[in-house]
Amino acid sequence: LTPATANAAWDVASLTRFLDGDHREVRQRVRTLLADPRFACHRDDGQGRRRQVLERCTVLASEGLGRLHLPRSCGGAGDPAAYLAVVETLGLGDLSLLVVFGVQFGLFAGSILALGTDAHHRRYLPAAGRFDLAGCFAMTETDHGSNIRDLETVARYDPATESFVLHTPHPGAGKDYIGNALEAHMAVVFARLEVAGEDRGVHPFVVPLRAAGGGILPGRHVEDCGGKAGLNGVGNARLAFDQVRLPRESLLDRFGRVSTGGTYTTPIESPARRFLTMLGTLVPGRVSVAAAALSATKRALTIAVRYGAGRRQFGPPGAPETPILDYLVHQRRLLPPLATTYALHFAVRHAGREVLAAFAEGRTGADRRRVDALAAGVKAVATWHAVTTVQTCRECCGGQGYLAVNELGPLRSDVDVFTTFEGDNTVLLQLAAKSLLADVRGELEKSTRLDVLRHLARPVAVRATTATAARHRLRDRRFQLEALRWRERHLLAELGGRLKRAVQAGEEADEAFLARQDHAVEAALAHIDRVVLEAFAAAVDSCPDFSFRPVLALLCDLYALGRIEVAAAWFLEHRYLGPHAARALRPQINALCADVRPHALALVAAFDIPDAVLAAPIGRP
Amino acid sequence: LTPATANAAWDVASLTRFLDGDHREVRQRVRTLLADPRFACHRDDGQGRRRQVLERCTVLASEGLGRLHLPRSCGGAGDPAAYLAVVETLGLGDLSLLVVFGVQFGLFAGSILALGTDAHHRRYLPAAGRFDLAGCFAMTETDHGSNIRDLETVARYDPATESFVLHTPHPGAGKDYIGNALEAHMAVVFARLEVAGEDRGVHPFVVPLRAAGGGILPGRHVEDCGGKAGLNGVGNARLAFDQVRLPRESLLDRFGRVSTGGTYTTPIESPARRFLTMLGTLVPGRVSVAAAALSATKRALTIAVRYGAGRRQFGPPGAPETPILDYLVHQRRLLPPLATTYALHFAVRHAGREVLAAFAEGRTGADRRRVDALAAGVKAVATWHAVTTVQTCRECCGGQGYLAVNELGPLRSDVDVFTTFEGDNTVLLQLAAKSLLADVRGELEKSTRLDVLRHLARPVAVRATTATAARHRLRDRRFQLEALRWRERHLLAELGGRLKRAVQAGEEADEAFLARQDHAVEAALAHIDRVVLEAFAAAVDSCPDFSFRPVLALLCDLYALGRIEVAAAWFLEHRYLGPHAARALRPQINALCADVRPHALALVAAFDIPDAVLAAPIGRP
């Protein structure tokens, strides 16, 4: 065993550089800032805590970190990837700060950038990027969270005064859980646009909330949401509007415009497609959430792996007690999540590049759908992984893990909300499945069900008749990839076929989908499993440093076999795995855990979380 | 669908009576008390909160609820089952209060009862039972949590002064996370007894901590553990002792006694068996924890099911939106956990009866081992079920679920600790496996491996060749029971065989077990699956009210098929399930969810949690 990082047989710093990849300089700047005494954590959850987080956000803004994604013409750097790197790195620290930062620069400034036009950009973005104009993003309503299409806040155009009248028709139509709304001076508010008596669907408006002195402007109601399960450094509020008059320019009009005389024009005629295009601006935010959730997971694993390597309990008579991480069951609890964290690291990076490229290139149709599915799926998988892993880390640290000072409890409570905000995970997976289905539909329309299934015939099905053959096959990267690819394609083609036959039999398309929701969610998860393994495998292949490549390859095996084990019943049912291969999974995973164990400390050290950020005393190296 | 409880086709109140079972009167008293305005929840987590919890505990004590398990001669009612009913019902409310209550009356008074003798009982129990003597239970040390045998606090007998000298030799030997220690006047402290230079192993002592006025006595150090992830209404502290002199009567001497002259005598000669017998006093506490965790789960499910039935999102065009609990994926998230909660309800009751009977009858050997395994396993399974279910409930309530006022976040943070206190779940499952192995050992010693496996030959193996046959088989209770029984016996016999061969091949017995820890944990979980299904099936069979029996039978099917689905790969590998049967699991579970859905509101109403206890606004009926 190699108990200490310093004794690792490979260079931790070079793995950190490999993990950091692009924008290393800005990542290092954020790490250094987070380790600054000004960013040391407080436990006070009242107003003082919120003020403190705002002050820290001001520091980040003054370092220019909040405007990297904004155009150069608005004071930014025109570099969305750098901004994403900042968000990912902030996820290593206080998640309240991350959320306040993300709401201000990602959701508020980002939506003005994506949904507004030149005049809006020039008018608002410079101040927003400096945090001189504090904003919030008011989409969700009390009665409408996932179903944004049916929001009920109304903005009626009044040609006589050339203004909109923004109104909350009933309490359930109030904007709810709005982050930063307790301090924001402006909100981007989503409301149904009514022009000349016609409902044009949901549109975004910039709405001043407070006067320069901080007083709430007339017609706006702001109510504190009160304590939350976590993230109490973020102020959340309910907003309601009582016949608030907004000038015509308040409409962020990239996708819908109202002339002075009250004529509505839009570059996207189909209301459904227009709505989806506007919602598309949320897509990069989903990758940010996935990246930040993963950073929080890295922090939890760093704490738990270090505690597990140092904490001794039981042991052979007369000898020192054994570090708990040397026990098989402890390894099985922590090391597969560590492997998944590495796997998701590369997958989220891949998703970030894809999403930013899709936006930069203005991709549409199938190319765009694929990216949306990727972002939605990766967000769901990474955030659920975060919640379960932080919980496991807490349990693996026992009583120490339960003390607030050791961070795991508060971290779990903070990261929890990621599973439902920026899109509920279950809803996102269904969106992803619908996008993926659109791709197989063409295929299905050309062929009968049997053709499709024949087309998917198992290329490398395991019918290994000996345990040794099964073992070799399981450790073969091509087998692992083919298995996850086959499962994804099979689940999707089968779902497509079931839906097609249901519709042919007279079911409504929506009803047919709803009756097969579980199948759709499973297909989306299988898609992400495959994407993640491909991204990890590609990273291992592209890995420049041969000294740590074997360790990454072990982690990649551990991830792959873990995913195959979770779906083992499915693979057996479909006779893709034979009983010999299925039975070999568990000992193979155990063996991989034993192989990874000596590298565990170095693998968490490679996350390079500064000691000052890793506030937990039990998490210190 | 039957949206409202009032429209249930069966009588909710009679199901409540069936669930309550024994000691209904005391359960109702506790429900009424918890609903009393004096017990209304506060969110303040500082000292005020702790004081409030202590005041409430005083109210419970003044109602006589803390001494029901104590002997009549000491002011009690001699009714441990009634005490367990109180603890279970308290789990519906504030878990900080539950823990303060459990530490005082279960751990502190309970250990004096179990480990002390007449003089201790007469001297301490009346005041402890009235909460006039506030106590705590100091077993865990900073360096020793699970491995209690190696505790390092020392109590050396000094015959010259006829007293013990209690000492903490180094900081790691300090007593840690000790609940109620910030206020307790006395502690039961576990320390290594040293008599005439000989280490007699861990023994319990009663140790005064504070003077009548509240000041800490000389030689005792009490340090606040600070904020915790949850349960901040409980004060936890670290205790250390600096050469504290204790009179000879301080030793709780039921299992080990020191004469004035310094002669050690014990009714149990084997130190290992003596230690295990003393630890056995923790066993009833494990059932209490399981029962309380389950009550917390019932509270979370009540909130989430009611929210899911009332919350509408999306829907067919032109029609009202659909309650989210009508969606298949939402049902799949909430209704199997509801079924498991019912199943565990009956299993925990069964475990409680068994444990109390074993103690009352002084069972030993195999009879006692079986009960210990049951308590350990049920505790592990019920507490993990609680944590995952409360988290699922939180997510199923979206943003509302994240608000502190809706209780799910704080509840999850509170219930979390149950997975590692009163025995870490992973350690407990290994204890359970060892107890169970002892039972199969005799069998194995008489036979070769092949004989044993032949003995386990599948009695009702599913080789159904049609989907319809598979479906019928899956819904057959005898099949479900046989499947779980076969899996348990197969895993245990296989584990026993592997261990036997390993030892024959020269491995140390402990080493051999450690190398197969994952197998042991799986066997213990399989054991509990079987026990739980048997308990639920027996409850359905014994159910006096035919109107709700079919609903319980549906829940029992849902539980059973859920357990079979989790282990589906194993059943397929071992050719106990054929692919047809395995494939039928998912649609069968979906169909059961649809069947249970109309009863969901009534099923949570049957938990009978008073509105005032269910403080969450979204959880009101």
Side-chain angles (χ1 to χ4, degrees), chain A residues 443-463:
Chain A
E443 206 173 332
L444 283 169
E445 265 153 25
K446 283 186 296 224
S447 49
T448 68
R449 180 189 176 216
L450 271 176
D451 285 341
V452 172
L453 292 181
R454 208 169 293 140
H455 173 68
L456 294 175
R458 288 145 276 171
V460 290
V462 163
R463 297 183 174 283

Side-chain angles (χ1 to χ4, degrees), chain A residues 458-464 473 479 575-577:
Chain A
R458 288 145 276 171
V460 290
V462 163
R463 297 183 174 283
R473 186 53 70 83
F479 162 73
R575 302 186 197 274
Y576 193 92
L577 283 189

Side-chain angles (χ1 to χ4, degrees), chain B residues 45-381:
Chain B
D45 274 344
Q47 290 209 0
R49 171 101 170 87
R50 293 212 303 265
R51 203 161 35 239
Q52 179 189 51
V53 170
L54 290 172
E55 285 162 11
R56 290 172 184 176
C57 192
T58 307
V59 174
L60 298 175
S62 72
E63 295 280 332
L65 297 169
R67 52 182 185 264
L68 293 170
H69 57 315
L70 301 180
R72 289 178 186 277
S73 58
C74 300
D79 188 350
Y83 175 77
L84 186 54
V86 170
V87 171
E88 182 176 341
T89 314
L90 285 176
L92 298 172
D94 178 6
L95 295 181
S96 284
L97 176 58
L98 168 92
V99 169
V100 166
F101 183 92
V103 168
Q104 169 67 27
F105 303 110
L107 289 175
F108 173 64
S111 60
I112 293 174
L113 176 62
L115 300 172
T117 45
D118 261 7
H120 300 113
H121 296 172
R122 274 181 282 112
R123 181 155 175 201
Y124 301 115
L125 290 184
R130 289 191 309 265
F131 203 26
D132 288 341
L133 173 62
C136 61
F137 181 85
M139 180 179 265
T140 299
E141 294 176 359
T142 307
D143 285 353
H144 289 97
S146 294
N147 183 11
I148 292 302
R149 192 190 304 259
D150 288 349
L151 291 179
E152 295 176 273
T153 301
V154 174
R156 188 175 45 76
Y157 185 65
D158 174 13
T161 56
E162 294 183 9
S163 63
F164 297 99
V165 181
L166 185 71
H167 190 63
T168 305
H170 62 90
K175 297 294 176 183
D176 215 341
Y177 324 113
I178 308 304
N180 295 6
L182 289 173
E183 288 89 6
H185 279 242
M186 179 167 277
V188 170
V189 174
F190 289 79
R192 312 199 73 75
L193 172 61
E194 236 182 76
V195 189
E198 196 170 347
D199 178 351
R200 293 296 187 166
V202 173
H203 283 69
F205 298 82
V206 284
V207 182
L209 292 181
R210 288 178 167 82
I216 294 171
L217 293 169
R220 285 79 164 165
H221 301 275
V222 181
E223 185 196 358
D224 193 334
C225 287
K228 300 186 296 295
L231 291 178
N232 282 300
V234 185
N236 291 71
R238 286 181 199 96
L239 300 180
F241 304 99
D242 184 10
Q243 311 284 355
V244 169
R245 291 231 163 233
L246 302 172
R248 199 176 60 91
E249 310 77 60
S250 304
L251 175 62
L252 293 171
D253 59 354
R254 181 168 166 204
F255 298 112
R257 189 165 297 192
V258 178
S259 71
T260 48
T263 307
Y264 178 78
T265 52
T266 170
I268 308 180
E269 269 311 316
S270 151
R273 206 156 69 74
R274 186 166 65 238
F275 175 73
L276 289 176
T277 306
M278 286 189 204
L279 275 197
T281 56
L282 290 173
V283 170
R286 290 184 183 141
V287 180
S288 303
V289 170
L294 213 55
S295 295
T297 313
K298 291 171 183 171
R299 182 155 155 224
L301 280 167
T302 303
I303 295 169
V305 165
R306 285 178 178 167
Y307 183 75
R311 171 78 172 175
R312 291 167 180 270
Q313 208 73 177
F314 300 106
E321 290 177 282
T322 306
I324 57 177
L325 193 54
D326 287 352
Y327 291 107
L328 172 59
V329 286
H330 209 78
Q331 291 170 7
R332 289 283 315 221
R333 295 170 85 185
L334 287 177
L335 301 184
L338 179 63
T340 300
T341 302
Y342 266 82
L344 284 170
H345 172 92
F346 296 107
V348 168
R349 290 298 177 86
H350 165 70
R353 282 188 300 269
E354 284 293 301
V355 166
L356 296 180
F359 272 72
E361 298 160 12
R363 285 189 212 162
T364 56
D367 292 334
R368 175 57 194 272
R369 275 200 307 272
R370 209 167 295 129
V371 168
D372 288 357
L374 177 64
V378 156
K379 185 272 186 186
V381 169

